[in-house]
Amino acid sequence: MTYKATNISFSYAGKKILNKASLEIQPGEIVTILGPNGCGKTTLIKILSAETKPDSGDVHIEDKKINKIKSAELAKMRSVVSQKTNMSFGFPVKEVVEMGMNPYDQKTTKESSSKIRKILEEYELEKFKNKNYLQLSAGEQQRVNIARSIVQLNQADTNQAKYLLMDEPTSSLDIHFQVKLAKNLKQLSNKNVGIGLVLHDINMALSISDRIVLFSSKKTVEFLEKPFWEKLPVSLSMLEQAFKSKFEVIRNQEKVFVTPSFKDVRS
Amino acid sequence: MLITSLIANLSIGAVDIEINEIISILKKSIGVTQGSSALTPNDVVLTSIRIPRILMGVIVGGSLAVCGCCLQALFRNPLADPGLIGVSAGASLGAVIGIYFNTFLIKISSIQASLIISFLAFIFGITISLLIFKISTKDGKPSVAKMLLCGIAANSLVGAIIAFFTYMSSDSKLRSIAMWGMGNLGESTWEKILICSLVCITCCFMLAKQAKLLNIFLLGESEAFNLGIKIEKLKKKIIIFTSLCVAVCVSFVGPIGFIGLVVPHAVRILIGPNLKSLIPFCFILGSILLTSADLVSRTISIPSEIPIGIITSIIGAPVFVYLLIREQDRVFQ
């Protein structure tokens, strides 16, 4: 019962983007992908979501090959928050969020309306609900996209395995909404939703993840397992290699924080 | 507005007909009332000229607007119009070839010649748009950007071929080619209306059925795919139905500019981008615009007529610029 990518290789314009990368997300697990720019994180999310076909390797959900699953069925099993949206013609916020119901082909019911209202409240979008999406700030648009993807998951049958893939969902969010999203993701994982996240914030990854997958620019993939506070000092060299930067580790009881070293900048 | 425009079209023209007389002629022609069996000149004007012309205006105006609206959604570009997929250019080429070789169409009536020209326009329109579709498709996936560029190239190439035929034509053919290129509802017959309404209304209905999916497509291709839309199937449907519909319209009435571009734009500003309501409103406004333009073209210089393409461009271009200036912040975010 997993979301599994095995030995994924992918090249673009003659450049190897992914080299036999593998990843597994269990139901209820939060797996975060960390790595430098251009290492293939977004490509992996696109391959996991079936939007992009890999050159070699397979993706399975619940032992079914992803390209054998009908697109409408797939949309009930996983929802995706892309790094950026490319909307043309601005729809009102509420209509964009309601589009999350598309895979279910059902008319708006009291129950679905109340779910949508809750999500709009959760992400503080009530006051914008009739506003043109294109007139919102980048952060507000990101909240709308997150809300839409959660509506897509919430409509699904509770017995069905559900997965959420998010590519840099916090890139435009302020601290308040980053914390809100982190809480929300924990709640979803407690409801057995498997979550695959691409983040640049190492500390958020350490706080919410069950596992961290570290991509390096040399196309190698390493795994950081829990408890991070114990294992991170050992894995620090991996992080430093991946990001070509020095890090400092701050430990506070059972918590661990990582910060890039700005020593050179200060001097 | 549509009803007012239709009544004005029925009543006003080289011969003005009172509304009471229009009602009695209509009743007589559908057999509700018995009258003298002899046809009056006004009977002929109304049933053989004005009604076919109005119906053609309603169908073509509405269809071009609906196709423009769906193509703008497909290309996700507010400046897309039916001309972009090469169908209008192809149809024009077919018509020009038909007019040029008209003397070889031995001893046939002018109605048959006109149907042959329409048939050639339809075949060329569909062929060019299918060719563009084929070139832009790789591994079964049509690339919208490539299609746009191929459409521009096809328009340019076809323009050159038409210019060549125009250059080689005699004065009378030159006039026919020029007149055809400016659009004309005057040659509408009941046969043409039957074919046109069957094809166009079916296509518009099929396009309207895709409204919900097209709305989601407007979020972006990745989002649409992630929400369970079969993107390639949707693109193919839109391209096939719009090509078919525009090819039929252009082949019967000639290329009529601006309706497919301006109407969706104007309606979107009035009621928003949701295609579920945009498509029916586009059909209505497209019909109003084309029948009103036809009324102006028929009456502005009685007894002669100004080609309808001139009127739609004269009305359409300033309205379009006005809308752009008024709504530029909202539309071009």
Side-chain angles (χ1 to χ4, degrees), chain B residues 252-313:
Chain B
F252 284 137
V253 302
I256 293 176
F258 274 104
I259 300 274
L261 179 68
V262 172
V263 172
H265 221 75
V267 180
R268 199 177 293 117
I269 287 167
L270 292 172
I271 65 165
N274 191 328
L275 281 119
K276 280 183 194 168
S277 39
L278 197 60
I279 289 177
F281 275 99
C282 276
F283 191 93
I284 295 169
L285 191 65
S287 300
I288 294 172
L289 196 61
L290 196 59
T291 46
S292 307
D294 188 44
L295 180 65
V296 175
S297 83
R298 287 192 295 116
T299 53
I300 201 165
S301 63
I302 292 172
S304 64
E305 272 187 28
I306 292 180
I308 193 166
I310 295 177
I311 306 293
T312 54
S313 298

Side-chain angles (χ1 to χ4, degrees), chain B:
Chain B
M1 269 174 82
L2 180 59
I3 292 166
T4 316
S5 164
L6 296 184
I7 294 170
N9 264 282
L10 285 171
S11 172
I12 305 168
V15 181
D16 286 342
I17 308 173
E18 294 284 324
I19 292 181
N20 290 341
E21 197 182 349
I22 293 171
I23 294 168
S24 67
I25 293 172
L26 289 176
K27 278 182 177 171
K28 196 165 84 181
S29 58
I30 57 171
V32 175
T33 55
Q34 299 292 317
S36 150
S37 58
L39 291 173
T40 65
N42 282 357
D43 285 359
V44 178
V45 167
L46 207 65
T47 56
S48 303
I49 301 173
R50 284 196 196 158
I51 295 178
R53 196 172 173 141
I54 292 165
L55 288 177
M56 193 61 112
V58 168
I59 295 163
V60 171
S63 302
L64 289 178
V66 168
C67 290
C69 163
C70 292
L71 286 171
Q72 287 177 6
L74 178 74
F75 290 103
R76 294 193 290 118
N77 186 331
L79 297 177
D81 86 335
L84 270 183
I85 51 169
V87 64
S88 303
S92 299
L93 179 61
V96 168
I97 289 173
I99 295 167
Y100 186 80
F101 292 107
N102 202 5
T103 40
F104 299 110
L105 306 172
I106 315 154
K107 289 184 181 175
I108 54 172
S109 70
S110 66
I111 291 177
Q112 282 170 320
S114 142
L115 277 174
I116 288 174
I117 289 169
S118 295
F119 178 71
L120 279 172
F122 173 74
I123 294 294
F124 273 77
I126 282 287
T127 309
I128 297 278
S129 66
L130 287 182
L131 211 63
I132 291 174
F133 181 61
K134 185 85 188 149
I135 294 169
S136 325
T137 305
K138 198 182 168 192
D139 302 330
K141 293 181 178 180
S143 154
V144 168
K146 219 192 257 181
M147 211 168 163
L148 201 76
L149 296 173
C150 286
I152 293 169
N155 277 322
S156 168
L157 179 66
V158 168
I161 300 172
I162 291 176
F164 173 75
F165 277 108
T166 313
Y167 177 73
M168 299 293 287
S169 297
S170 63
D171 282 355
S172 65
K173 281 180 189 167
L174 193 66
R175 185 169 166 75
S176 302
I177 291 172
M179 290 302 287
W180 192 90
M182 289 186 266
N184 181 17
L185 291 176
E187 289 181 23
S188 307
T189 60
W190 286 103
E191 293 82 17
K192 286 184 181 178
I193 287 168
L194 183 70
I195 300 169
C196 200
S197 55
L198 274 176
V199 177
C200 292
I201 289 172
T202 309
C203 288
C204 286
F205 178 73
M206 295 306 288
L207 289 169
K209 272 183 76 176
Q210 313 304 319
K212 184 186 167 198
L213 304 185
L214 271 175
N215 277 339
I216 294 166
F217 185 78
L218 286 173
L219 287 180
E221 287 198 26
S222 298
E223 272 63 30
F225 173 79
N226 291 330
L227 282 161
I229 309 272
K230 290 175 183 161
I231 305 274
E232 311 312 333
K233 205 173 158 186
L234 178 68
K235 283 185 195 169
K236 282 178 191 165
K237 275 185 188 170
I238 302 301
I239 291 163
I240 289 169
F241 290 125
T242 50
S243 301
L244 201 61
C245 191
V246 176
V248 169
C249 291
V250 178
S251 60
F252 284 137
V253 302
I256 293 176
F258 274 104
I259 300 274
L261 179 68
V262 172
V263 172
H265 221 75
V267 180
R268 199 177 293 117
I269 287 167
L270 292 172
I271 65 165
N274 191 328
L275 281 119
K276 280 183 194 168
S277 39
L278 197 60
I279 289 177
F281 275 99
C282 276
F283 191 93
I284 295 169
L285 191 65
S287 300
I288 294 172
L289 196 61
L290 196 59
T291 46
S292 307
D294 188 44
L295 180 65
V296 175
S297 83
R298 287 192 295 116
T299 53
I300 201 165
S301 63
I302 292 172
S304 64
E305 272 187 28
I306 292 180
I308 193 166
I310 295 177
I311 306 293
T312 54
S313 298
I314 286 175
I315 301 172
V319 169
F320 186 57
V321 172
Y322 167 73
L323 292 174
L324 284 185
I325 293 169
R326 208 189 76 165
E327 295 292 325
Q328 57 189 347
D329 292 342
R330 206 167 74 119
V331 177
F332 295 109
Q333 281 281 333

Side-chain angles (χ1 to χ4, degrees), chain A residues 76 95-109 111-113 115-116 148 151-153 155, chain B residues 212 216 227:
Chain A
K76 291 176 188 171
E95 284 183 29
V96 178
V97 175
E98 281 172 348
M99 285 180 190
M101 283 171 58
N102 176 67
Y104 305 95
D105 200 26
Q106 61 190 26
K107 294 234 176 334
T108 312
T109 58
E111 195 191 349
S112 64
S113 301
K115 279 180 183 173
I116 286 164
R148 193 196 63 231
V151 165
Q152 188 180 343
L153 277 185
Q155 301 294 322
Chain B
K212 184 186 167 198
I216 294 166
L227 282 161

